[in-house]
Amino acid sequence: MKLQFLSGDSITAIKANLNELRTKFGGGNEWISDFFDGKSPFKDTKYEIEDFQLDMSQKDPFLTEYENVRRVYTRLKFLPDSQASDERVWAGLCMGPFYDYVKYRWKIDETSSAATIEQHFFFGYGARRSLTRNALSRLWWIGRLTYDNEREYELTKFVCENADNIMHILERNTSNNPDIVKAFISAIIDAKNTGKQIDTNDIGELSKYLNLLGGTYILDCLPSSVIYDKIYKKAIEI
């Protein structure tokens, strides 16, 4: 299928009328064409991608997170970070081929608030926070920050075991650099593999410790091995 985006003007128009449109999100997306007087607001990019579906098989939508990260990131891995930070790309996917997925994952219906719809179909916060709130960009960025060439999706699977892991690990200021994130997660997994019991509260404490390290060192300039060693040692001590 052709990867499409939603134009900036179209996004602005929908957002400006979300209070009136919000009940329409409880049904199909046929209303979009009517809203734009029969004209499609979707625009083609230069990218042709394999047609694919997202997993919507679980009663608890979060249980599909890992599998859907794999499906999205595997097929859209080619996107540069700049384009993967562009609301228009993700709004196009959310309002187009994955409209039903967004509703499923975030339980969107005719009673959902305009704010809830905005943050999951579009960007409803600042640029950084929106990346993990928009339903599709969230999946891509989890993959971007956790996929490792050697360990492949092992780190991704660990992060997706608990929603708190995503909050603690991927929604902090130290999460901009995939090398830092991967060193951090790898150290925790390897500490757990020694038999050390580490729960989500411990991961939260380790994330705070990483932030403290960021006040002492320029983490982006530290070798990943140094970050790994410091987190591993701290994880064993907890």
Side-chain angles (χ1 to χ4, degrees), residues 133-199:
R133 295 299 186 203
N134 174 277
L136 267 293
S137 69
R138 171 187 177 87
L139 299 175
W140 191 93
W141 278 99
I142 291 174
R144 171 72 176 95
L145 292 168
T146 61
Y147 179 82
D148 182 79
N149 288 333
E150 293 184 4
R151 303 178 78 148
E152 297 186 331
Y153 285 104
E154 178 188 0
L155 311 185
T156 311
K157 187 174 184 178
F158 174 77
V159 167
C160 291
E161 287 176 355
N162 192 296
D164 286 343
N165 288 350
I166 296 173
M167 176 187 69
H168 289 315
I169 298 172
L170 302 183
E171 295 187 357
R172 293 180 179 271
N173 292 333
T174 49
S175 302
N176 295 322
N177 187 328
D179 292 333
I180 295 173
V181 173
K182 287 185 281 189
F184 179 81
I185 301 170
S186 295
I188 295 174
I189 291 175
D190 292 346
K192 288 190 71 172
N193 286 341
T194 68
K196 179 71 178 178
Q197 297 297 312
I198 300 175
D199 60 24

Side-chain angles (χ1 to χ4, degrees), residues 33 40 46 86 97 106 114 121 128 140 158 181 196 230-231:
S33 178
S40 173
K46 63 181 180 181
D86 191 328
W106 297 102
F121 279 91
R128 173 164 172 68
W140 191 93
F158 174 77
V181 173
K196 179 71 178 178
K230 289 183 178 296
I231 297 300

